[in-house]
Every structure is written in C-alpha cells, then in structure tokens.
Amino acid sequence: MKTLLYYPGCSIKKDFTDIEKASMSLLSALGYTVIEIENWYCCGGFSSITLLDHVKQVGAFRTLSIASKQSIKLSTNTILTLCPFCYNVLKRASTLQVNEPGVYRRVAEYLKDDVEPYSGGLSIIHLVELLVAELDNLKKLVKNSLKGLRIAAYYGCMLLRPKNVAIDNPENPLSIEKVLEVLGAEPVDFPYKTYCCGAFHTLGEAEIVSYNSTKIIKSAIDAGATIIATPCPLCLYNLQRYSPYVEAGIKVLHLVDVIAHAIGLHSINKLINLKINSK
Amino acid sequence: MEVKLVLTRTELNEYIKEYTGRSLSACMQCGLCTAVCPMSRFMDVHPAALIRLLQVSDVDISKLKAIWVCTSCMTCVDRCPRDVAPGMVIETLRLLALRRGIEPRSYSEMPIDINTPTLLLVSYSRKLTG
C-alpha cells in the first residue's frame, strides 16, 4: 500500500465535492491510501511572484511545516493536490528555501512562534502526474472504454507555468493526452490548450473571460473535439459558463469526471448526452 | 500625508530591481511578451510598450489600466529572451498601486452568487485587493 498526504484546497472541498469523492475512489482503486493533512491552510490561489510579497507565502509555508511533521509519522514524503492552483502555490513554496533563500528566511522568521520552519523533503505532486506514472494500472481499471470519443485536453496555466514547477513540457504538454489514450479516447491536439481562460476576471471583466474561453473552445471544436477535459476547477467554471459554443453541443468536463466514467465510478452520459459504447 | 502616485523613472527602475531582481534595461523591445500575452488586447498599454514606457519616462501608476488586466499566467515570464519577465514587472506595479491605497474595484460590485467557486473569490482577492 502506498501512502499519500492529501491537500484538498478550498474549491475541491466546497464546490467540487463530487470530484474529490471520485478522485479518492480512483486512488483507492489504484492502491493508494490517502490521508488528508490534519491542519491545512488556504494556499491563497496565487503565489507571490515578486520578491517583496511575503504574506502570500504564509499559508502554504504553514501547511508545509505541518505536513512535514505528519509525513514522518506516516512514512511518506508526497503531498497530492487535485487543484492546479494549490499545486502551483505549494510547489513554489516548497522550493523557496533553495530558489529564494532571502524570502524563505523572512517568512520563517515571521512564523517562528507558530510553526517550525519547513526544511524541505516533501514532494508536491498533482493528480495528473500520479496518473501518468500509473498508466498501466489505470488501463486495467477501465470498464467503459471511451472509444470513439474525441477529447481535447485543456491544461490552463497553473500546471505548466512558471516552467520550473511545470508537470510536463510547458510548450507542448502531453500528460493528459496519455491518460485519455489509456481510457480509450482519441485525444485531440489544439493550439490553445495552455492559453489563459481569463481566470479571476469572471468577477470583474467577464467579457475578457468570455472572449478567451470562447477562443479556446472554438479552437477545440475546429480540431474536431466533442469534449474538453480540464483538471482545473476555475477553467472548468469559466469555460462552462462563458462560451456560447457550450450551448451548441461541445461539453466541458472535469478530467476526473471523464476518468470516473471510464472506470465505472459514475456516468457522464447525462453530462454529455452522448451514447458511449461499452467495451 | 500625501500619497505619491507619480513615480519618477529612477524610482520605478529601483523598485522593479528590488521587487523582481531583474533589470528593465535588458529589454530589447522584441515584442514577444505582447505577442504571447492572452490579455494584451484588453490592455491600455501592452506589455512590451509598458516596459519601454518605464525605461524612458515617469509614470502615474494610478492611471495604468493594464496592471489590473494581467492574470499572471506567466507566459511572458517563461518566454522572455532577456529575462526581463514583464509579468513580474506588472505585478510590481500592481503591488505599488495597492500599497498606495488604489483598488480598481470594490467587493460590492462583484457578481457573486451561490455557484461562485471559492477559488474564484480567493484568487480575485489576491490579485485585485492585495
């Protein structure tokens, strides 16, 4: 049995509970024991990208310190994330000591009465990375092959940039395509798979999100896709909400929903109104 | 105390050096950042022009709309051939503005409903309210 520490994050815990549930079943079927970090803090969504913005490191730093202690008890060194934002922030915080020692020292000093400084040793991974390492085992779990479905993998930003935290080649990632292939689907290549959907502008300048999301979806349609699968909750929300093309037939789904259907956890037939042949 | 919104070219260059560790003078105006920017069409001053502006002139940071449009997708930061990292420069200007009390929008104007994901609220707050 392989043990993983698990960092859920806000949206998976509150808005996408079905994704969390399906992910846990998937991981259990792959032979993993998943244990939630006992006292995790909000990652804040965006890491600090300048050198003088220490407050944005505090939540992640605290979480890593706590997880570090728990990891020794559980004899694991891996933290699993389901949300690309959480992945990005935690991964960057975990490399702070090496990449930005000055920032690391100041954050550690600020938190010194609170937690012991995180001193490395944890590996932060995203679900997609784990699945790519488990392709053979994932293949064995497939009950409803997605044969005949043309699916576009949309990555968004947070799993790929900045390049020093990327889970794959940031210019042409293929991780999700590998997963889709194992499920029997036909991955569709399209040029906007790493293009920003507009992110938080939904709350202020929705026309930005509408413009970019529409561009992404149109490009996937032109490439022949009938489904777009994304691992990011915010991309999912934006793409589903802001493109008229979604009304016209293409479906935007969370990657975990697609996998859950293929391995028989729950059906996406209702979500996609398509008949999928069983194997 | 009066808040200083117009920053001189020298002040701006020093701030940017301090906040990003990069140098504006390395920019050769190749324009790649603007070309790859998914937000440039919504900006009043596109990334490459903004770097040029900061190289040559004093700037009133309260008048720049572009700094609120950037989503920190990091495409320009990864691809800049001179390591100027325009995304980090924009983040610096955003922080300088926020730390002088300029906020582009108030919470009361936001279209929040029961379906608004928490992640959206959190990321919005991080970028537009400091």
Side-chain angles (χ1 to χ4, degrees), chain A residues 48-54 100 102-103 106, chain B residues 7 10-24 84 88-89 91-93 95-96 99-100:
Chain A
S48 157
I49 59 171
T50 65
L51 305 174
L52 288 173
D53 200 9
H54 301 59
E100 299 296 346
V103 177
R106 288 181 72 174
Chain B
L7 299 174
T10 316
E11 283 169 332
L12 282 163
N13 279 263
E14 274 167 14
Y15 273 128
I16 286 158
K17 186 96 194 155
E18 195 187 358
Y19 273 70
T20 70
R22 320 289 175 103
S23 170
L24 284 179
V84 176
M88 290 175 79
V89 173
E91 182 77 1
T92 301
L93 296 175
L95 290 171
L96 290 175
R99 288 169 184 182
R100 282 163 176 71

PDB file of all heavy atoms in Angstrom, chain A residues 48-54 100 102-103 106, chain B residues 7 10-24 84 88-89 91-93 95-96 99-100:
ATOM      1  N   SER A  48       3.139  34.413  -4.490  1.00  0.00           N
ATOM      2  CA  SER A  48       3.801  35.684  -4.727  1.00  0.00           C
ATOM      3  C   SER A  48       4.711  35.533  -5.935  1.00  0.00           C
ATOM      4  O   SER A  48       5.447  34.565  -6.036  1.00  0.00           O
ATOM      5  CB  SER A  48       4.639  36.034  -3.503  1.00  0.00           C
ATOM      6  OG  SER A  48       5.651  36.915  -3.881  1.00  0.00           O
ATOM      7  N   ILE A  49       4.625  36.480  -6.876  1.00  0.00           N
ATOM      8  CA  ILE A  49       5.564  36.361  -7.995  1.00  0.00           C
ATOM      9  C   ILE A  49       6.628  37.457  -7.963  1.00  0.00           C
ATOM     10  O   ILE A  49       7.404  37.591  -8.877  1.00  0.00           O
ATOM     11  CB  ILE A  49       4.864  36.301  -9.368  1.00  0.00           C
ATOM     12  CG1 ILE A  49       4.024  37.544  -9.608  1.00  0.00           C
ATOM     13  CG2 ILE A  49       4.018  35.060  -9.483  1.00  0.00           C
ATOM     14  CD1 ILE A  49       3.512  37.601 -11.041  1.00  0.00           C
ATOM     15  N   THR A  50       6.622  38.255  -6.896  1.00  0.00           N
ATOM     16  CA  THR A  50       7.747  39.174  -6.720  1.00  0.00           C
ATOM     17  C   THR A  50       8.501  38.765  -5.452  1.00  0.00           C
ATOM     18  O   THR A  50       8.081  37.847  -4.741  1.00  0.00           O
ATOM     19  CB  THR A  50       7.279  40.634  -6.563  1.00  0.00           C
ATOM     20  OG1 THR A  50       6.531  40.727  -5.359  1.00  0.00           O
ATOM     21  CG2 THR A  50       6.428  41.077  -7.736  1.00  0.00           C
ATOM     22  N   LEU A  51       9.593  39.463  -5.184  1.00  0.00           N
ATOM     23  CA  LEU A  51      10.414  39.099  -4.029  1.00  0.00           C
ATOM     24  C   LEU A  51       9.966  39.805  -2.754  1.00  0.00           C
ATOM     25  O   LEU A  51      10.439  39.495  -1.667  1.00  0.00           O
ATOM     26  CB  LEU A  51      11.883  39.453  -4.303  1.00  0.00           C
ATOM     27  CG  LEU A  51      12.478  38.844  -5.574  1.00  0.00           C
ATOM     28  CD1 LEU A  51      13.881  39.376  -5.825  1.00  0.00           C
ATOM     29  CD2 LEU A  51      12.496  37.330  -5.460  1.00  0.00           C
ATOM     30  N   LEU A  52       9.062  40.775  -2.879  1.00  0.00           N
ATOM     31  CA  LEU A  52       8.651  41.544  -1.703  1.00  0.00           C
ATOM     32  C   LEU A  52       7.147  41.432  -1.461  1.00  0.00           C
ATOM     33  O   LEU A  52       6.436  42.423  -1.442  1.00  0.00           O
ATOM     34  CB  LEU A  52       9.051  43.013  -1.875  1.00  0.00           C
ATOM     35  CG  LEU A  52      10.543  43.278  -1.750  1.00  0.00           C
ATOM     36  CD1 LEU A  52      10.885  44.710  -2.090  1.00  0.00           C
ATOM     37  CD2 LEU A  52      11.036  42.942  -0.345  1.00  0.00           C
ATOM     38  N   ASP A  53       6.684  40.217  -1.325  1.00  0.00           N
ATOM     39  CA  ASP A  53       5.264  39.983  -1.138  1.00  0.00           C
ATOM     40  C   ASP A  53       5.090  38.739  -0.259  1.00  0.00           C
ATOM     41  O   ASP A  53       4.408  37.796  -0.610  1.00  0.00           O
ATOM     42  CB  ASP A  53       4.632  39.760  -2.524  1.00  0.00           C
ATOM     43  CG  ASP A  53       3.134  39.988  -2.507  1.00  0.00           C
ATOM     44  OD1 ASP A  53       2.638  40.484  -1.477  1.00  0.00           O
ATOM     45  OD2 ASP A  53       2.480  39.660  -3.499  1.00  0.00           O
ATOM     46  N   HIS A  54       5.756  38.799   0.912  1.00  0.00           N
ATOM     47  CA  HIS A  54       5.907  37.596   1.722  1.00  0.00           C
ATOM     48  C   HIS A  54       4.603  37.026   2.242  1.00  0.00           C
ATOM     49  O   HIS A  54       4.499  35.832   2.465  1.00  0.00           O
ATOM     50  CB  HIS A  54       6.813  37.899   2.912  1.00  0.00           C
ATOM     51  CG  HIS A  54       8.161  38.360   2.518  1.00  0.00           C
ATOM     52  ND1 HIS A  54       8.379  39.485   1.754  1.00  0.00           N
ATOM     53  CD2 HIS A  54       9.370  37.828   2.757  1.00  0.00           C
ATOM     54  CE1 HIS A  54       9.672  39.637   1.565  1.00  0.00           C
ATOM     55  NE2 HIS A  54      10.298  38.641   2.152  1.00  0.00           N
ATOM     56  N   GLU A 100      14.803  31.047  -3.376  1.00  0.00           N
ATOM     57  CA  GLU A 100      14.783  32.411  -2.835  1.00  0.00           C
ATOM     58  C   GLU A 100      15.101  32.378  -1.343  1.00  0.00           C
ATOM     59  O   GLU A 100      14.229  32.604  -0.501  1.00  0.00           O
ATOM     60  CB  GLU A 100      13.402  33.058  -3.061  1.00  0.00           C
ATOM     61  CG  GLU A 100      12.993  33.209  -4.508  1.00  0.00           C
ATOM     62  CD  GLU A 100      13.902  34.152  -5.300  1.00  0.00           C
ATOM     63  OE1 GLU A 100      14.695  34.902  -4.688  1.00  0.00           O
ATOM     64  OE2 GLU A 100      13.812  34.104  -6.543  1.00  0.00           O
ATOM     65  N   GLY A 102      16.448  34.365   0.692  1.00  0.00           N
ATOM     66  CA  GLY A 102      16.148  35.586   1.444  1.00  0.00           C
ATOM     67  C   GLY A 102      14.684  35.635   1.845  1.00  0.00           C
ATOM     68  O   GLY A 102      14.341  35.923   3.002  1.00  0.00           O
ATOM     69  N   VAL A 103      13.805  35.331   0.903  1.00  0.00           N
ATOM     70  CA  VAL A 103      12.372  35.308   1.169  1.00  0.00           C
ATOM     71  C   VAL A 103      12.060  34.213   2.191  1.00  0.00           C
ATOM     72  O   VAL A 103      11.305  34.421   3.140  1.00  0.00           O
ATOM     73  CB  VAL A 103      11.574  35.055  -0.138  1.00  0.00           C
ATOM     74  CG1 VAL A 103      10.089  34.961   0.147  1.00  0.00           C
ATOM     75  CG2 VAL A 103      11.848  36.157  -1.161  1.00  0.00           C
ATOM     76  N   ARG A 106      12.828  35.260   5.758  1.00  0.00           N
ATOM     77  CA  ARG A 106      11.897  36.237   6.334  1.00  0.00           C
ATOM     78  C   ARG A 106      10.553  35.606   6.681  1.00  0.00           C
ATOM     79  O   ARG A 106       9.954  35.922   7.700  1.00  0.00           O
ATOM     80  CB  ARG A 106      11.715  37.423   5.379  1.00  0.00           C
ATOM     81  CG  ARG A 106      12.968  38.305   5.356  1.00  0.00           C
ATOM     82  CD  ARG A 106      12.819  39.484   4.459  1.00  0.00           C
ATOM     83  NE  ARG A 106      11.919  40.492   4.993  1.00  0.00           N
ATOM     84  CZ  ARG A 106      11.728  41.674   4.405  1.00  0.00           C
ATOM     85  NH1 ARG A 106      12.367  41.972   3.298  1.00  0.00           N
ATOM     86  NH2 ARG A 106      10.892  42.548   4.928  1.00  0.00           N
TER      87      ARG A 106
ATOM     88  N   LEU B   7       5.508  58.288 -10.084  1.00  0.00           N
ATOM     89  CA  LEU B   7       6.843  57.849  -9.704  1.00  0.00           C
ATOM     90  C   LEU B   7       7.821  58.178 -10.832  1.00  0.00           C
ATOM     91  O   LEU B   7       7.489  58.012 -12.011  1.00  0.00           O
ATOM     92  CB  LEU B   7       6.860  56.340  -9.429  1.00  0.00           C
ATOM     93  CG  LEU B   7       5.943  55.887  -8.280  1.00  0.00           C
ATOM     94  CD1 LEU B   7       5.910  54.368  -8.167  1.00  0.00           C
ATOM     95  CD2 LEU B   7       6.372  56.494  -6.944  1.00  0.00           C
ATOM     96  N   THR B  10      13.626  56.902 -12.331  1.00  0.00           N
ATOM     97  CA  THR B  10      14.654  56.318 -11.462  1.00  0.00           C
ATOM     98  C   THR B  10      14.022  55.509 -10.329  1.00  0.00           C
ATOM     99  O   THR B  10      14.437  54.392 -10.034  1.00  0.00           O
ATOM    100  CB  THR B  10      15.531  57.441 -10.851  1.00  0.00           C
ATOM    101  OG1 THR B  10      15.827  58.364 -11.893  1.00  0.00           O
ATOM    102  CG2 THR B  10      16.783  56.907 -10.241  1.00  0.00           C
ATOM    103  N   GLU B  11      12.982  56.102  -9.706  1.00  0.00           N
ATOM    104  CA  GLU B  11      12.314  55.371  -8.615  1.00  0.00           C
ATOM    105  C   GLU B  11      11.738  54.045  -9.116  1.00  0.00           C
ATOM    106  O   GLU B  11      11.898  53.006  -8.473  1.00  0.00           O
ATOM    107  CB  GLU B  11      11.160  56.227  -8.055  1.00  0.00           C
ATOM    108  CG  GLU B  11      11.606  57.355  -7.149  1.00  0.00           C
ATOM    109  CD  GLU B  11      10.473  58.338  -6.820  1.00  0.00           C
ATOM    110  OE1 GLU B  11       9.532  58.486  -7.636  1.00  0.00           O
ATOM    111  OE2 GLU B  11      10.536  58.942  -5.756  1.00  0.00           O
ATOM    112  N   LEU B  12      11.055  54.131 -10.259  1.00  0.00           N
ATOM    113  CA  LEU B  12      10.433  52.926 -10.810  1.00  0.00           C
ATOM    114  C   LEU B  12      11.457  51.837 -11.103  1.00  0.00           C
ATOM    115  O   LEU B  12      11.255  50.670 -10.781  1.00  0.00           O
ATOM    116  CB  LEU B  12       9.672  53.272 -12.097  1.00  0.00           C
ATOM    117  CG  LEU B  12       8.319  53.946 -11.870  1.00  0.00           C
ATOM    118  CD1 LEU B  12       7.833  54.613 -13.159  1.00  0.00           C
ATOM    119  CD2 LEU B  12       7.294  52.957 -11.358  1.00  0.00           C
ATOM    120  N   ASN B  13      12.577  52.245 -11.715  1.00  0.00           N
ATOM    121  CA  ASN B  13      13.614  51.264 -12.033  1.00  0.00           C
ATOM    122  C   ASN B  13      14.200  50.625 -10.777  1.00  0.00           C
ATOM    123  O   ASN B  13      14.484  49.432 -10.747  1.00  0.00           O
ATOM    124  CB  ASN B  13      14.711  51.901 -12.892  1.00  0.00           C
ATOM    125  CG  ASN B  13      14.304  51.952 -14.360  1.00  0.00           C
ATOM    126  OD1 ASN B  13      14.677  51.097 -15.137  1.00  0.00           O
ATOM    127  ND2 ASN B  13      13.485  52.930 -14.731  1.00  0.00           N
ATOM    128  N   GLU B  14      14.322  51.441  -9.718  1.00  0.00           N
ATOM    129  CA  GLU B  14      14.839  50.896  -8.463  1.00  0.00           C
ATOM    130  C   GLU B  14      13.845  49.927  -7.824  1.00  0.00           C
ATOM    131  O   GLU B  14      14.223  48.858  -7.355  1.00  0.00           O
ATOM    132  CB  GLU B  14      15.168  52.034  -7.486  1.00  0.00           C
ATOM    133  CG  GLU B  14      16.570  52.567  -7.719  1.00  0.00           C
ATOM    134  CD  GLU B  14      16.824  53.885  -7.011  1.00  0.00           C
ATOM    135  OE1 GLU B  14      16.013  54.251  -6.124  1.00  0.00           O
ATOM    136  OE2 GLU B  14      17.824  54.542  -7.340  1.00  0.00           O
ATOM    137  N   TYR B  15      12.572  50.353  -7.797  1.00  0.00           N
ATOM    138  CA  TYR B  15      11.528  49.468  -7.254  1.00  0.00           C
ATOM    139  C   TYR B  15      11.518  48.130  -7.984  1.00  0.00           C
ATOM    140  O   TYR B  15      11.446  47.064  -7.373  1.00  0.00           O
ATOM    141  CB  TYR B  15      10.135  50.110  -7.408  1.00  0.00           C
ATOM    142  CG  TYR B  15       9.731  51.014  -6.271  1.00  0.00           C
ATOM    143  CD1 TYR B  15       9.274  52.313  -6.512  1.00  0.00           C
ATOM    144  CD2 TYR B  15       9.757  50.568  -4.944  1.00  0.00           C
ATOM    145  CE1 TYR B  15       8.877  53.148  -5.478  1.00  0.00           C
ATOM    146  CE2 TYR B  15       9.364  51.394  -3.902  1.00  0.00           C
ATOM    147  CZ  TYR B  15       8.918  52.690  -4.173  1.00  0.00           C
ATOM    148  OH  TYR B  15       8.529  53.501  -3.148  1.00  0.00           O
ATOM    149  N   ILE B  16      11.577  48.198  -9.305  1.00  0.00           N
ATOM    150  CA  ILE B  16      11.479  46.974 -10.104  1.00  0.00           C
ATOM    151  C   ILE B  16      12.683  46.057  -9.877  1.00  0.00           C
ATOM    152  O   ILE B  16      12.547  44.845  -9.752  1.00  0.00           O
ATOM    153  CB  ILE B  16      11.238  47.322 -11.594  1.00  0.00           C
ATOM    154  CG1 ILE B  16       9.775  47.781 -11.745  1.00  0.00           C
ATOM    155  CG2 ILE B  16      11.517  46.135 -12.514  1.00  0.00           C
ATOM    156  CD1 ILE B  16       9.487  48.624 -12.939  1.00  0.00           C
ATOM    157  N   LYS B  17      13.821  46.672  -9.743  1.00  0.00           N
ATOM    158  CA  LYS B  17      15.036  45.902  -9.424  1.00  0.00           C
ATOM    159  C   LYS B  17      14.856  45.173  -8.071  1.00  0.00           C
ATOM    160  O   LYS B  17      15.167  44.002  -7.932  1.00  0.00           O
ATOM    161  CB  LYS B  17      16.212  46.869  -9.361  1.00  0.00           C
ATOM    162  CG  LYS B  17      17.558  46.206  -9.181  1.00  0.00           C
ATOM    163  CD  LYS B  17      18.240  46.025 -10.521  1.00  0.00           C
ATOM    164  CE  LYS B  17      19.399  45.074 -10.382  1.00  0.00           C
ATOM    165  NZ  LYS B  17      19.766  44.396 -11.578  1.00  0.00           N
ATOM    166  N   GLU B  18      14.325  45.918  -7.105  1.00  0.00           N
ATOM    167  CA  GLU B  18      14.169  45.391  -5.758  1.00  0.00           C
ATOM    168  C   GLU B  18      13.075  44.301  -5.703  1.00  0.00           C
ATOM    169  O   GLU B  18      13.227  43.280  -5.044  1.00  0.00           O
ATOM    170  CB  GLU B  18      13.790  46.566  -4.837  1.00  0.00           C
ATOM    171  CG  GLU B  18      13.924  46.284  -3.363  1.00  0.00           C
ATOM    172  CD  GLU B  18      13.378  47.440  -2.520  1.00  0.00           C
ATOM    173  OE1 GLU B  18      12.931  48.460  -3.096  1.00  0.00           O
ATOM    174  OE2 GLU B  18      13.359  47.296  -1.286  1.00  0.00           O
ATOM    175  N   TYR B  19      11.983  44.536  -6.399  1.00  0.00           N
ATOM    176  CA  TYR B  19      10.838  43.614  -6.348  1.00  0.00           C
ATOM    177  C   TYR B  19      11.034  42.375  -7.220  1.00  0.00           C
ATOM    178  O   TYR B  19      10.459  41.332  -6.940  1.00  0.00           O
ATOM    179  CB  TYR B  19       9.558  44.330  -6.812  1.00  0.00           C
ATOM    180  CG  TYR B  19       8.815  45.074  -5.721  1.00  0.00           C
ATOM    181  CD1 TYR B  19       9.339  46.225  -5.156  1.00  0.00           C
ATOM    182  CD2 TYR B  19       7.574  44.634  -5.280  1.00  0.00           C
ATOM    183  CE1 TYR B  19       8.655  46.929  -4.168  1.00  0.00           C
ATOM    184  CE2 TYR B  19       6.872  45.333  -4.290  1.00  0.00           C
ATOM    185  CZ  TYR B  19       7.416  46.476  -3.746  1.00  0.00           C
ATOM    186  OH  TYR B  19       6.739  47.159  -2.774  1.00  0.00           O
ATOM    187  N   THR B  20      11.776  42.511  -8.320  1.00  0.00           N
ATOM    188  CA  THR B  20      11.853  41.369  -9.246  1.00  0.00           C
ATOM    189  C   THR B  20      13.253  40.784  -9.365  1.00  0.00           C
ATOM    190  O   THR B  20      13.408  39.663  -9.832  1.00  0.00           O
ATOM    191  CB  THR B  20      11.420  41.769 -10.680  1.00  0.00           C
ATOM    192  OG1 THR B  20      12.427  42.638 -11.230  1.00  0.00           O
ATOM    193  CG2 THR B  20      10.092  42.490 -10.704  1.00  0.00           C
ATOM    194  N   GLY B  21      14.252  41.544  -8.972  1.00  0.00           N
ATOM    195  CA  GLY B  21      15.624  41.088  -9.180  1.00  0.00           C
ATOM    196  C   GLY B  21      16.047  41.151 -10.640  1.00  0.00           C
ATOM    197  O   GLY B  21      17.102  40.648 -11.003  1.00  0.00           O
ATOM    198  N   ARG B  22      15.206  41.733 -11.495  1.00  0.00           N
ATOM    199  CA  ARG B  22      15.516  41.811 -12.930  1.00  0.00           C
ATOM    200  C   ARG B  22      15.791  43.269 -13.306  1.00  0.00           C
ATOM    201  O   ARG B  22      15.448  44.179 -12.567  1.00  0.00           O
ATOM    202  CB  ARG B  22      14.343  41.312 -13.797  1.00  0.00           C
ATOM    203  CG  ARG B  22      13.625  40.081 -13.274  1.00  0.00           C
ATOM    204  CD  ARG B  22      14.493  38.835 -13.412  1.00  0.00           C
ATOM    205  NE  ARG B  22      13.821  37.691 -12.791  1.00  0.00           N
ATOM    206  CZ  ARG B  22      13.196  36.740 -13.491  1.00  0.00           C
ATOM    207  NH1 ARG B  22      13.126  36.814 -14.800  1.00  0.00           N
ATOM    208  NH2 ARG B  22      12.645  35.720 -12.876  1.00  0.00           N
ATOM    209  N   SER B  23      16.339  43.429 -14.512  1.00  0.00           N
ATOM    210  CA  SER B  23      16.660  44.780 -14.938  1.00  0.00           C
ATOM    211  C   SER B  23      15.876  45.164 -16.183  1.00  0.00           C
ATOM    212  O   SER B  23      15.876  44.454 -17.191  1.00  0.00           O
ATOM    213  CB  SER B  23      18.163  44.863 -15.222  1.00  0.00           C
ATOM    214  OG  SER B  23      18.435  46.092 -15.856  1.00  0.00           O
ATOM    215  N   LEU B  24      15.198  46.314 -16.120  1.00  0.00           N
ATOM    216  CA  LEU B  24      14.420  46.797 -17.255  1.00  0.00           C
ATOM    217  C   LEU B  24      15.301  47.095 -18.470  1.00  0.00           C
ATOM    218  O   LEU B  24      14.869  46.977 -19.609  1.00  0.00           O
ATOM    219  CB  LEU B  24      13.697  48.088 -16.881  1.00  0.00           C
ATOM    220  CG  LEU B  24      12.453  47.997 -16.007  1.00  0.00           C
ATOM    221  CD1 LEU B  24      11.922  49.398 -15.758  1.00  0.00           C
ATOM    222  CD2 LEU B  24      11.389  47.141 -16.652  1.00  0.00           C
ATOM    223  N   VAL B  84      13.610  39.684 -18.658  1.00  0.00           N
ATOM    224  CA  VAL B  84      13.061  40.889 -18.030  1.00  0.00           C
ATOM    225  C   VAL B  84      11.788  40.532 -17.248  1.00  0.00           C
ATOM    226  O   VAL B  84      11.447  41.158 -16.249  1.00  0.00           O
ATOM    227  CB  VAL B  84      12.752  41.971 -19.094  1.00  0.00           C
ATOM    228  CG1 VAL B  84      12.098  43.197 -18.467  1.00  0.00           C
ATOM    229  CG2 VAL B  84      14.034  42.374 -19.805  1.00  0.00           C
ATOM    230  N   MET B  88       6.319  39.868 -13.972  1.00  0.00           N
ATOM    231  CA  MET B  88       6.797  40.252 -12.639  1.00  0.00           C
ATOM    232  C   MET B  88       6.847  41.773 -12.500  1.00  0.00           C
ATOM    233  O   MET B  88       6.597  42.320 -11.417  1.00  0.00           O
ATOM    234  CB  MET B  88       8.183  39.655 -12.373  1.00  0.00           C
ATOM    235  CG  MET B  88       8.171  38.153 -12.184  1.00  0.00           C
ATOM    236  SD  MET B  88       9.834  37.462 -12.007  1.00  0.00           S
ATOM    237  CE  MET B  88      10.217  37.847 -10.293  1.00  0.00           C
ATOM    238  N   VAL B  89       7.166  42.451 -13.586  1.00  0.00           N
ATOM    239  CA  VAL B  89       7.184  43.924 -13.567  1.00  0.00           C
ATOM    240  C   VAL B  89       5.762  44.454 -13.341  1.00  0.00           C
ATOM    241  O   VAL B  89       5.540  45.350 -12.533  1.00  0.00           O
ATOM    242  CB  VAL B  89       7.766  44.472 -14.900  1.00  0.00           C
ATOM    243  CG1 VAL B  89       7.631  45.988 -14.963  1.00  0.00           C
ATOM    244  CG2 VAL B  89       9.219  44.044 -15.057  1.00  0.00           C
ATOM    245  N   GLU B  91       3.326  42.836 -11.901  1.00  0.00           N
ATOM    246  CA  GLU B  91       2.954  42.527 -10.516  1.00  0.00           C
ATOM    247  C   GLU B  91       3.544  43.570  -9.557  1.00  0.00           C
ATOM    248  O   GLU B  91       2.895  43.972  -8.586  1.00  0.00           O
ATOM    249  CB  GLU B  91       3.444  41.118 -10.151  1.00  0.00           C
ATOM    250  CG  GLU B  91       3.089  40.649  -8.745  1.00  0.00           C
ATOM    251  CD  GLU B  91       1.641  40.203  -8.589  1.00  0.00           C
ATOM    252  OE1 GLU B  91       0.887  40.229  -9.596  1.00  0.00           O
ATOM    253  OE2 GLU B  91       1.259  39.851  -7.458  1.00  0.00           O
ATOM    254  N   THR B  92       4.756  44.030  -9.846  1.00  0.00           N
ATOM    255  CA  THR B  92       5.381  45.065  -9.014  1.00  0.00           C
ATOM    256  C   THR B  92       4.543  46.347  -9.037  1.00  0.00           C
ATOM    257  O   THR B  92       4.262  46.940  -7.989  1.00  0.00           O
ATOM    258  CB  THR B  92       6.807  45.373  -9.526  1.00  0.00           C
ATOM    259  OG1 THR B  92       7.567  44.169  -9.481  1.00  0.00           O
ATOM    260  CG2 THR B  92       7.479  46.444  -8.695  1.00  0.00           C
ATOM    261  N   LEU B  93       4.131  46.765 -10.239  1.00  0.00           N
ATOM    262  CA  LEU B  93       3.327  47.994 -10.351  1.00  0.00           C
ATOM    263  C   LEU B  93       1.987  47.829  -9.636  1.00  0.00           C
ATOM    264  O   LEU B  93       1.487  48.741  -8.985  1.00  0.00           O
ATOM    265  CB  LEU B  93       3.096  48.337 -11.827  1.00  0.00           C
ATOM    266  CG  LEU B  93       4.346  48.679 -12.641  1.00  0.00           C
ATOM    267  CD1 LEU B  93       3.990  48.875 -14.099  1.00  0.00           C
ATOM    268  CD2 LEU B  93       5.040  49.925 -12.084  1.00  0.00           C
ATOM    269  N   LEU B  95       1.428  45.901  -7.034  1.00  0.00           N
ATOM    270  CA  LEU B  95       1.668  45.998  -5.594  1.00  0.00           C
ATOM    271  C   LEU B  95       1.928  47.434  -5.160  1.00  0.00           C
ATOM    272  O   LEU B  95       1.435  47.889  -4.127  1.00  0.00           O
ATOM    273  CB  LEU B  95       2.845  45.097  -5.191  1.00  0.00           C
ATOM    274  CG  LEU B  95       2.582  43.587  -5.266  1.00  0.00           C
ATOM    275  CD1 LEU B  95       3.880  42.809  -5.061  1.00  0.00           C
ATOM    276  CD2 LEU B  95       1.559  43.157  -4.224  1.00  0.00           C
ATOM    277  N   LEU B  96       2.693  48.184  -5.972  1.00  0.00           N
ATOM    278  CA  LEU B  96       2.966  49.590  -5.641  1.00  0.00           C
ATOM    279  C   LEU B  96       1.652  50.373  -5.573  1.00  0.00           C
ATOM    280  O   LEU B  96       1.466  51.212  -4.689  1.00  0.00           O
ATOM    281  CB  LEU B  96       3.901  50.221  -6.680  1.00  0.00           C
ATOM    282  CG  LEU B  96       5.363  49.732  -6.682  1.00  0.00           C
ATOM    283  CD1 LEU B  96       6.126  50.351  -7.856  1.00  0.00           C
ATOM    284  CD2 LEU B  96       6.060  50.068  -5.368  1.00  0.00           C
ATOM    285  N   ARG B  99      -0.466  49.200  -2.507  1.00  0.00           N
ATOM    286  CA  ARG B  99       0.137  49.663  -1.254  1.00  0.00           C
ATOM    287  C   ARG B  99       0.024  51.176  -1.087  1.00  0.00           C
ATOM    288  O   ARG B  99       0.362  51.714  -0.040  1.00  0.00           O
ATOM    289  CB  ARG B  99       1.602  49.190  -1.174  1.00  0.00           C
ATOM    290  CG  ARG B  99       1.672  47.690  -0.924  1.00  0.00           C
ATOM    291  CD  ARG B  99       3.027  47.088  -1.086  1.00  0.00           C
ATOM    292  NE  ARG B  99       2.926  45.626  -0.922  1.00  0.00           N
ATOM    293  CZ  ARG B  99       3.943  44.790  -0.967  1.00  0.00           C
ATOM    294  NH1 ARG B  99       5.155  45.245  -1.156  1.00  0.00           N
ATOM    295  NH2 ARG B  99       3.761  43.494  -0.828  1.00  0.00           N
ATOM    296  N   ARG B 100      -0.457  51.846  -2.142  1.00  0.00           N
ATOM    297  CA  ARG B 100      -0.764  53.266  -2.028  1.00  0.00           C
ATOM    298  C   ARG B 100      -2.276  53.495  -1.955  1.00  0.00           C
ATOM    299  O   ARG B 100      -2.766  54.607  -2.152  1.00  0.00           O
ATOM    300  CB  ARG B 100      -0.166  54.029  -3.220  1.00  0.00           C
ATOM    301  CG  ARG B 100       1.325  54.249  -3.058  1.00  0.00           C
ATOM    302  CD  ARG B 100       1.992  54.604  -4.370  1.00  0.00           C
ATOM    303  NE  ARG B 100       3.404  54.899  -4.147  1.00  0.00           N
ATOM    304  CZ  ARG B 100       4.321  53.979  -3.836  1.00  0.00           C
ATOM    305  NH1 ARG B 100       3.984  52.721  -3.720  1.00  0.00           N
ATOM    306  NH2 ARG B 100       5.578  54.331  -3.644  1.00  0.00           N
TER     307      ARG B 100
END
